[in-house]
Amino acid sequence: MTTGQGFGRHGPLTPREHAMAEAAWAYFVERYQPDTGLVNAVGAYPSTTLWDTASYISALVSAYELGIIDKRTFDSRIYLLIRTLRHLDLFRGEAPNKVYNTKTAEKVNYANQPGEVGFSVLDIGRLLVWLDIVKERYPYLAAGIDNVPLRWNFCNLVQEDGRLFGSIVTGKGETRYVQEGRLGYEEYAAKGFALWGFDVSKAMAPQPLAYTDIYGVKVPYDGRDPRVFQNQNYVLTEGYLLDGLEMGWNLPQDAVSTPGVAGQGWRAEFANRIYLVQQRRFEQTGILTARSEHQVEGKPYFVYDSIFADGYAWNTMDPSGTYQPDRAAVAAKAAIGMWALWDTPYTDLLFDSVADLSTPESGFYEGVYENGDGYIPLQTANNNGIILAALLYKVQGPILQRRNQNTQFWDVAYAETDIRKNRCLPTPMVQEVSCCACADLPPPVPALPAEDFILCRPISRADGTEFAATDCKPEAQHFPRPQPVQLLPQSCRQPGSLTP
């Protein structure tokens, strides 16, 4: 199905692009574990996370929609995967552990030995995005999928103020709950929870917000001081990229995706800046730039290839915070993802730099080192899953499509029991407002003011709480600023009237 919605490139795949999709899917054939339905996160190592499992689901949906696999293959794989996710041994009875053995589906530590290390709310949020995508696209799978998160206890994941918390295990074996996520990733993961009805307003907001000027681009970064909060504020491409490919930078409650309009305007604005600064670096230095966190061979095994981190631009760091400049790379997933979302001569260059960086038997390699040391000889589920999603985006537009109008088991399960309350499952939120006090209500404050839109044209949403965005281009725009629209609640209006 070709819809042509969204930003960037649209249309059927060329023969070359279809061959790329087949190569990316080959990874999930070679690294598939038939006993569990899981796929190894990295090569032959039988371990995975929920983030990588979501990337596998993205590959599975994309391969089916692009005609690489048939419905029988799709169904057999998705049914087995849902069953495995449904029976995962949870971290201390709360939520999925950070790591699982793909051969046995047992929870493990980072050495892939039996044990537990806590849960990642970012990984869970990404999985929730893809579980919702599958529910919407294939309603016959919805009830089975709903039974996966219905086992989880969300009380420590979603705080009353709308923040998201993960957990770690201390040296004494105690559980410690910690706020997880920074600008770019935090809001993306929060959308996963919001799609399932959770109030994650604090995690969805860009504040606290700061900016740094790099090559004349006002690059946003998380304003929380890493020295105080013990959490680095990496500026990375992937969180914005996934949001664009999967949800078109829309708000979770948007029932319809309008072509060329991003319902959550500030996310589109910031994504365009993240793209533009990487193009500017190439223009100024000649260094092809498509940065994302990625695996590397040998120690340190993994790096955050940032646009900005710890006070420095183009700072490549390992998880210990050590500077690793020789590990900077053109990440294949970032290059293909930006090519899908931005139709420019620069993304054509990025595409050509990685389009053939694969083997037909085992998928795409992670990327190409910036310093000329060749390609990264590792193949991963996340890299290949995102590449497949980018190719599907070109054909169909934003991947989350609202097709399921049926009653959701998630919304009605355990309605006559205390289980929903005890597990902190969401309930419908209805807020009554007295009409006599309507005039006294403070005007809504958008997450990002209109004057901060530089690359996108802001459009006021009807409720005034947010700006949508359109006409996004990687160059400065000059648009008249929208005027705020103040509306009274629907209950205050006369029947059949648009005015109070």
Side-chain angles (χ1 to χ4, degrees):
M1 177 176 122
T2 302
T3 62
Q5 294 185 353
F7 301 86
R9 298 176 193 268
H10 312 296
L13 299 185
T14 66
R16 185 187 190 191
E17 293 158 9
H18 193 271
M20 291 169 59
E22 290 180 324
W25 174 247
Y27 177 88
F28 301 95
V29 175
E30 185 179 34
R31 302 307 180 185
Y32 181 66
Q33 300 290 354
D35 291 336
T36 63
L38 298 171
V39 172
N40 301 347
V42 183
Y45 193 61
S47 173
T48 195
T49 67
L50 291 196
W51 186 281
D52 297 296
T53 299
S55 292
Y56 166 47
I57 298 175
S58 107
L60 187 58
V61 169
S62 300
Y64 174 52
E65 294 288 337
L66 294 172
I68 297 169
I69 61 174
D70 59 18
K71 189 172 186 298
R72 185 183 301 276
T73 302
F74 174 80
D75 281 350
S76 64
R77 281 184 171 239
I78 197 68
Y79 278 126
L80 178 56
L81 180 61
I82 293 170
R83 177 182 176 182
T84 294
L85 294 175
R86 169 77 175 82
H87 293 282
L88 286 179
D89 190 6
L90 305 178
F91 171 77
R92 301 186 180 178
E94 286 190 86
N97 192 49
K98 290 181 180 179
V99 197
Y100 285 90
N101 185 300
T102 53
K103 289 184 176 180
T104 64
E106 293 178 316
K107 58 184 177 183
V108 293
N109 58 26
Y110 293 119
N112 214 29
Q113 299 299 314
E116 52 185 11
V117 290
F119 56 77
S120 168
V121 77
L122 298 185
D123 290 11
I124 291 170
R126 173 151 169 73
L127 181 67
L128 288 173
V129 169
W130 274 97
L131 291 179
D132 190 66
I133 287 172
V134 174
K135 279 194 355 170
E136 291 291 338
R137 281 179 169 265
Y138 318 111
Y140 66 95
L141 296 170
I145 286 174
D146 284 343
N147 274 289
V148 174
L150 279 172
R151 293 181 60 228
W152 306 345
N153 188 319
F154 291 87
C155 295
N156 290 315
L157 282 76
V158 182
Q159 303 298 298
E160 290 185 359
D161 64 358
R163 292 183 298 162
L164 294 175
F165 273 59
S167 72
I168 59 175
V169 178
T170 68
K172 296 180 180 180
E174 299 172 342
T175 302
R176 181 182 168 202
Y177 298 99
V178 293
Q179 188 277 325
E180 191 177 350
R182 289 297 180 264
L183 182 68
Y185 277 108
E186 184 179 8
E187 301 80 17
Y188 167 71
K191 284 188 178 184
F193 284 85
L195 287 170
W196 291 76
F198 290 96
D199 179 6
V200 286
S201 52
K202 189 85 170 185
M204 286 273 287
Q207 290 77 19
L209 185 60
Y211 298 95
T212 184
D213 187 279
I214 305 174
Y215 295 125
V217 180
K218 195 176 178 183
V219 176
Y221 70 92
D222 198 292
R224 286 166 283 195
D225 192 329
R227 297 168 296 181
V228 176
F229 291 93
Q230 304 301 307
N231 201 337
Q232 268 296 347
N233 52 4
Y234 308 104
V235 177
L236 299 158
T237 306
E238 192 163 322
Y240 296 102
L241 203 67
L242 297 177
D243 195 345
L245 296 173
E246 296 166 5
M247 294 173 280
W249 301 308
N250 280 313
L251 288 164
Q253 64 265 30
D254 288 341
V256 178
S257 180
T258 303
V261 176
Q264 193 176 32
W266 72 264
R267 289 287 284 181
E269 169 68 28
F270 285 178
N272 274 268
R273 296 189 199 182
I274 295 302
Y275 163 75
L276 177 59
V277 74
Q278 295 180 83
Q279 177 182 305
R280 289 273 179 87
R281 182 176 184 240
F282 169 72
E283 293 167 347
Q284 295 292 321
T285 68
I287 301 172
L288 272 178
T289 305
R291 291 211 160 193
S292 186
E293 69 280 22
H294 56 79
Q295 303 285 331
V296 294
E297 81 284 12
K299 293 183 179 179
Y301 305 112
F302 183 86
V303 294
Y304 296 98
D305 209 1
S306 72
I307 294 165
F308 179 81
D310 204 24
Y312 296 93
W314 317 114
N315 194 356
T316 302
M317 303 169 67
D318 65 27
S320 72
T322 302
Y323 184 41
Q324 301 279 355
D326 285 341
R327 302 299 190 141
V330 175
K333 59 188 174 183
I336 301 300
M338 289 197 288
W339 168 84
L341 287 167
W342 288 274
D343 187 355
T344 67
Y346 178 61
T347 60
D348 287 334
L349 282 175
L350 290 178
F351 180 88
D352 284 337
S353 73
V354 300
D356 302 308
L357 196 67
S358 64
T359 66
E361 301 83 16
S362 51
F364 277 81
Y365 294 107
E366 282 287 272
V368 182
Y369 286 117
E370 286 184 357
N371 62 9
D373 276 350
Y375 66 88
I376 304 170
L378 294 174
Q379 291 150 316
T380 67
N382 193 42
N383 185 46
N384 284 282
I386 292 173
I387 288 171
L388 274 163
L391 293 169
L392 178 61
Y393 176 92
K394 186 201 172 195
V395 176
Q396 296 189 1
I399 299 171
L400 176 60
Q401 298 181 3
R402 304 290 190 180
R403 302 181 188 173
N404 190 353
Q405 302 300 316
N406 302 321
T407 300
Q408 301 292 309
F409 183 55
W410 168 259
D411 295 322
V412 300
Y414 311 126
E416 305 302 323
T417 72
D418 292 331
I419 293 177
R420 294 192 71 90
K421 179 179 179 181
N422 293 340
R423 295 183 185 173
C424 298
L425 298 175
T427 55
M429 292 180 292
V430 179
Q431 187 176 22
E432 293 291 339
V433 178
S434 173
C435 290
C436 63
C438 286
D440 300 327
L441 291 175
V445 179
L448 196 72
E451 57 268 21
D452 281 0
F453 284 76
I454 300 170
L455 305 180
C456 297
R457 178 164 63 91
I459 306 172
S460 293
R461 294 177 67 93
D463 60 5
T465 59
E466 188 74 75
F467 286 113
T470 189
D471 297 328
C472 295
K473 299 177 182 178
E475 57 191 49
Q477 306 290 298
H478 300 284
F479 296 116
R481 294 308 177 194
Q483 298 300 313
V485 178
Q486 295 188 0
L487 297 176
L488 294 178
Q490 188 69 35
S491 59
C492 299
R493 302 173 189 163
Q494 295 295 325
S497 173
L498 296 178
T499 59

